[in-house]
Amino acid sequence: MAKTLITCDCLGSQSIDAAALAQATGLDVRPPCSALCTSQIDRAAKALSGESGEDVVLCCTQESRRFEDLAEDLGLAPPALLDLRDRAGWSADPAPKLAKMSALAAEALLPAPMGRMMDVTSHGACLVLGAPEDALPAADQLSDFLAVTVLLDSGAEIPDAPGYDVITGALRRATGALGAFVIAIDALQTVEPGGRIPTLTAPKDGARSQCDVIVDLRRAPPLFPAHEKREGYLRADPGRPAAVSAAVLAASHLVGTFEKPLYIRADPLLCAHSRAGQTGCTRCLDLCPTGAITPDGDHVTIDPLICAGCGACSSACPAGAVSYDAPPVDLTLRRVQTLASAYLEAGGVAPRLLVHDAYGAEMIRLAARHGRGLPADVIPMELPVIGAFGHAEALAARAAGFAAVTLLPGPGADRDALAAQTALASAMTGGIDILDTPDPDALSEALYAAEPPAPSHAPVRPIGSRRQVARQAARALNPEGGTLPLPTGAPYGAVLVDTDACTLCLSCVSLCPSGALLDNPDLPQLRFQEDACLQCGLCATICPEDAITLDPRMNLDPSALSQEVLNEEEPFACVECGTLFGVKSTIDRITDKLRDHAMFDGDKLRMIQMCDDCRVNAQYHSAGNPLAGRERPRPRTTDDYLSKRRDH
């Protein structure tokens, strides 16, 4: 059943051609209301309460609370909402907005999977840190809501019967997040119960305990990296009473069971972090601002309690071992492709994609209400975090038909990570940049002033993993083929081997996590398949001859999908059975070096020139066989018995 769009021209401030929009989208588009959220709200109620109420989309987000209350009164689920006004209708651009509205409507109707969640339970155990004059008043306010413990410096005066626990000591370390903090304290002293005045126990180093919430009022560096993203950790400058009050108020509500999104999906089998104790890829470790990612043997582990969902690890992971899941990567790719195809099918030409987060959405609303709004060919796409939009997504957007892709980062975005992903995508195609401004008017002016892009190539829709999508998109955007040089650290490239130094020991093959380096079981060969190479560097690290270097590039030719021989030599024939084994030059070199060695006299030198089977046989039957015992007694025969009787 087709979806129904209930449109509104917002008191005549925008123009909506319902018939044309219905024809372009294939949806049931009702003639626009003029005041859907006020005097004509009965139309929304009638549409929502009909037999197909779940298939109704209200084209207004400004009054979302009003429509949600309406649905609640009707006993219905919250309605689907679509913003056509701020993102398309309110614009100073005289060009038609039909194609843009069609694209926004098509994207809004994409089914989105439910996000994965985990329960986090806080029992209200709160640790307050700070000087007595700061921590004790805060503890007084929190003691009615939480089980408070105040940690004071050693030697601080302990108040009489404060109504909460007071300890002294030096906080050595704190780990964890809301509901699962683990703390270590040195010189810990607790209050001895009884007596006229409080007395303290003997100091104890290395004490460990747990708490659910930490309120940090110290005049000291924060306990955690990116501390503002650490749930359950509330830090305030004690010199700012308003900040302290806000922290205390927030802490008082952190009791109960909370749902935390699981932002990242990990596949340890694909991870190229380490092999055999040798470190390879560390891209996610280098980028994670909260320290949620830690090494764990051959792969990395992500603590879901600490992960703040910035998305940088997903964009940078070369193997797809870490992927963003809120929303999933494939949904983001479908959104990009749907926006482009719907715009082009509705008659639009050369659209531009503007990727933003919630902060950027507010800038767009302000620009539409008080400024020029967005140009008619600029299609906004909001993501929970802009860091999850990496080079693969940008290339997919260009391949789908967008003539340009612009990223609008908010205050919390990692600029360095975005710049690296943008540089990587730009090395494979043009038209990708970052617009970093907090001014809505500057945003509009920059978009209006940009050169009108030329129509793009024939659109394609790559499928598969992010890595496969990036390669397919790059090939579509560069139909002439060839090899594109990429920035240092890119996850695509070749392995270069110095054949004069390489001895074909094949250590690199045994450690390659992606199977890009291979051997030949029949011949001494080192083979390489370029499209599988992650540029993790394990092969260069393990090579005993330092014969391997990395060449970051994108090879668009079909040769990248097949195996090529990087180095090969003539095999050696076993001197006993003629079986081919090893490398002739290596066997000859070893033989020459050991020819005059005292330990390799006689047939021992010859054993080096034998295959495994012949070497074992020769060793077993040699005079120096370490497994040989004394000669077995000869079996006695009938003649032996008879001869013995004759002798007697």
Side-chain angles (χ1 to χ4, degrees), residues 80-263:
L81 304 176
L82 171 62
D83 179 12
L84 293 180
R85 186 192 68 183
D86 295 339
R87 299 191 294 169
W90 280 0
S91 171
D93 192 341
K97 313 297 189 305
L98 175 62
K100 184 174 183 178
M101 290 185 177
S102 300
L104 295 175
E107 182 223 6
L109 299 180
L110 286 176
M114 293 292 293
R116 297 184 302 136
M117 298 285 180
M118 67 178 296
D119 288 341
V120 176
T121 300
S122 169
H123 299 288
C126 176
L127 177 66
V128 180
L129 308 174
E133 62 272 18
D134 303 319
L136 296 178
D140 286 332
Q141 299 177 58
L142 286 171
S143 59
D144 292 336
F145 308 97
L146 307 176
V148 178
T149 299
V150 178
L151 175 60
L152 303 177
D153 292 335
S154 300
E157 183 177 350
I158 304 299
D160 293 336
Y164 45 82
D165 294 330
V166 179
I167 59 177
T168 66
L171 182 63
R172 182 205 305 172
R173 182 178 64 256
T175 59
L178 176 66
F181 285 108
V182 178
I183 57 175
I185 303 174
D186 289 333
L188 172 66
Q189 293 179 282
T190 60
V191 177
E192 284 278 16
R196 296 179 61 188
I197 60 175
T199 58
L200 298 176
T201 60
K204 176 184 177 181
D205 288 338
R208 291 171 59 87
S209 185
Q210 297 179 340
C211 63
D212 300 310
V213 180
I214 296 178
V215 178
D216 188 355
L217 304 180
R218 302 171 304 146
R219 292 176 171 84
L223 296 175
F224 306 103
H227 63 90
E228 67 281 354
K229 299 180 180 180
R230 184 69 59 111
E231 294 182 354
Y233 177 68
L234 304 166
R235 183 171 183 268
D237 181 357
R240 299 175 55 201
V244 174
S245 297
V248 169
L249 178 63
S252 67
H253 290 78
L254 295 180
V255 181
T257 300
F258 304 90
E259 285 189 338
K260 177 174 175 55
L262 294 175
Y263 297 106

Side-chain angles (χ1 to χ4, degrees), residues 188-560:
L188 172 66
Q189 293 179 282
T190 60
V191 177
E192 284 278 16
R196 296 179 61 188
I197 60 175
T199 58
L200 298 176
T201 60
K204 176 184 177 181
D205 288 338
R208 291 171 59 87
S209 185
Q210 297 179 340
C211 63
D212 300 310
V213 180
I214 296 178
V215 178
D216 188 355
L217 304 180
R218 302 171 304 146
R219 292 176 171 84
L223 296 175
F224 306 103
H227 63 90
E228 67 281 354
K229 299 180 180 180
R230 184 69 59 111
E231 294 182 354
Y233 177 68
L234 304 166
R235 183 171 183 268
D237 181 357
R240 299 175 55 201
V244 174
S245 297
V248 169
L249 178 63
S252 67
H253 290 78
L254 295 180
V255 181
T257 300
F258 304 90
E259 285 189 338
K260 177 174 175 55
L262 294 175
Y263 297 106
I264 298 298
R265 188 180 295 273
D267 187 347
L269 295 178
L270 298 178
C271 183
H273 168 62
S274 174
R275 293 294 185 276
Q278 300 294 324
T279 301
C281 177
T282 61
R283 290 175 174 88
C284 61
L285 292 167
D286 298 336
L287 287 173
C288 183
T290 62
I293 306 177
T294 54
D296 185 12
D298 287 351
H299 54 85
V300 298
T301 295
I302 302 176
D303 189 335
L305 293 176
I306 299 177
C307 176
C310 70
C313 55
S314 173
S315 297
C317 181
V322 176
S323 58
Y324 203 72
D325 203 40
V329 171
D330 59 344
L331 176 60
T332 300
L333 294 173
R334 287 202 307 272
R335 290 178 63 190
V336 166
Q337 294 168 350
T338 299
L339 285 170
S341 61
Y343 184 92
L344 296 174
E345 289 172 4
V349 178
R352 293 181 283 168
L353 181 66
L354 178 64
V355 184
H356 60 88
D357 54 14
Y359 184 85
E362 182 61 23
M363 289 181 61
I364 292 173
R365 284 191 287 269
L366 292 173
R369 181 175 291 275
H370 303 288
R372 302 174 66 186
L374 299 180
D377 63 340
V378 173
I379 303 178
M381 186 179 78
E382 181 177 351
L383 293 175
V385 290
I386 198 172
F389 194 89
H391 71 279
E393 290 79 7
L395 290 170
R398 289 281 287 109
F402 283 105
V405 177
T406 301
L407 276 64
L408 180 63
D414 186 335
R415 264 67 176 174
D416 293 338
L418 282 179
Q421 291 296 307
T422 302
L424 178 56
S426 297
M428 292 182 253
T429 185
I432 301 174
D433 62 354
I434 298 175
L435 178 56
D436 196 354
T437 177
D439 185 351
D441 290 332
L443 167 66
S444 294
E445 293 304 321
L447 294 174
Y448 276 98
E451 288 287 335
S456 187
H457 62 289
V460 297
R461 296 184 181 182
I463 59 174
S465 66
R466 294 182 71 254
R467 187 176 184 86
Q468 293 168 333
V469 166
R471 178 173 292 278
Q472 295 172 44
R475 292 186 64 182
L477 294 165
N478 299 275
E480 67 280 1
T483 300
L484 306 174
L486 300 181
T488 302
Y492 312 95
V495 167
L496 306 181
V497 175
D498 182 353
T499 56
D500 293 332
C502 176
T503 61
L504 287 175
C505 69
L506 302 181
S507 298
C508 53
V509 173
S510 64
L511 293 191
C512 181
S514 64
L517 289 169
L518 309 101
D519 64 349
N520 186 336
D522 300 321
L523 294 172
Q525 285 184 341
L526 174 61
R527 294 175 170 269
F528 176 65
Q529 184 166 327
E530 186 167 339
D531 75 311
C533 181
L534 307 177
Q535 297 283 286
C536 65
L538 274 168
C539 55
T541 301
I542 198 62
C543 181
E545 289 86 19
D546 294 328
I548 294 179
T549 56
L550 303 179
D551 180 20
R553 68 185 192 184
M554 175 61 80
N555 184 359
L556 303 176
D557 295 331
S559 60

